Amino acid sequence: MNIADNLNLFKSELVGTGCRLIAVSKTKPEDMILKAYNSGHRIFGENKVQDLVAKAQNLPSDIMWHMIGHLQRNKVKYVAPFVSMIHSVDSVRLLAEINKQAAKNERVIDCLFQVHIAEEETKFGLSSNELLDMVKNPELKDYENIRIVGLMGMATYTDDELQIRKEFRFLSELFYKIQSEISAENIEMMELSMGMTSDYKIAIEEGSTLIRIGTAIFGARNYT
Ligand SMILES: *Cc1c(COP(=O)(O)O)cnc(C)c1O
């Protein structure tokens, strides 16, 4: 199997679901990303600012880069000129910095709030109460250079499909709740970013609009 075949398999699986594919290229070399690009794919995800910036500089400019990893405030300035969506917003302070850097670049940056839905304690993200406080925060309306377009979550790493489904459903219920109850100029709930190689099928069944797939496209990662 090669990268183009893997992508085509996913694309055929996604037909009619309303869900799009982010090819997670973290740790993978640029020639592999170019193979995916040359097969027609344009949306890629990275989780480290340094890699994201380097790859964006070297690869075609019509790639839509999604920042899917934890983002420190002091690094927002490096991605603000080009990033197409930030999936990992988990504080008002980070959002304020994204707004500021987006304004400097005369852009509006699409953001997702990352919600902690897994059992593991190590993963980043807001609790559901923190999320609901965030979307009601009156300061949000002053941030004219960001747009909140949805939520992102990662399920527990487990074989227990019921557990995974329960966590994704929890996130999609929060998504619909905000969609129906919160009205603000710069909040428009459109994207539900959930599902990775091991759990994307369940995520799609639970309403995902963006699956983030690395291993099943590019193969296993070697961390050194
Ligand atoms: C690495 C990563 C993925 C992709 O994981 P795979 O299991 O390789 O598909 C998805 N989302 C986030 C946030 C990641 O860091």
Side-chain angles (χ1 to χ4, degrees), residues 24 26 47 68 152 154 196-198 212-216 221:
V24 176
K26 64 186 189 196
N47 71 336
I68 62 172
M152 185 272 250
M154 276 188 276
M196 313 178 20
T197 293
S198 60
R212 310 178 308 268
I213 307 292
T215 308
R221 287 177 294 274

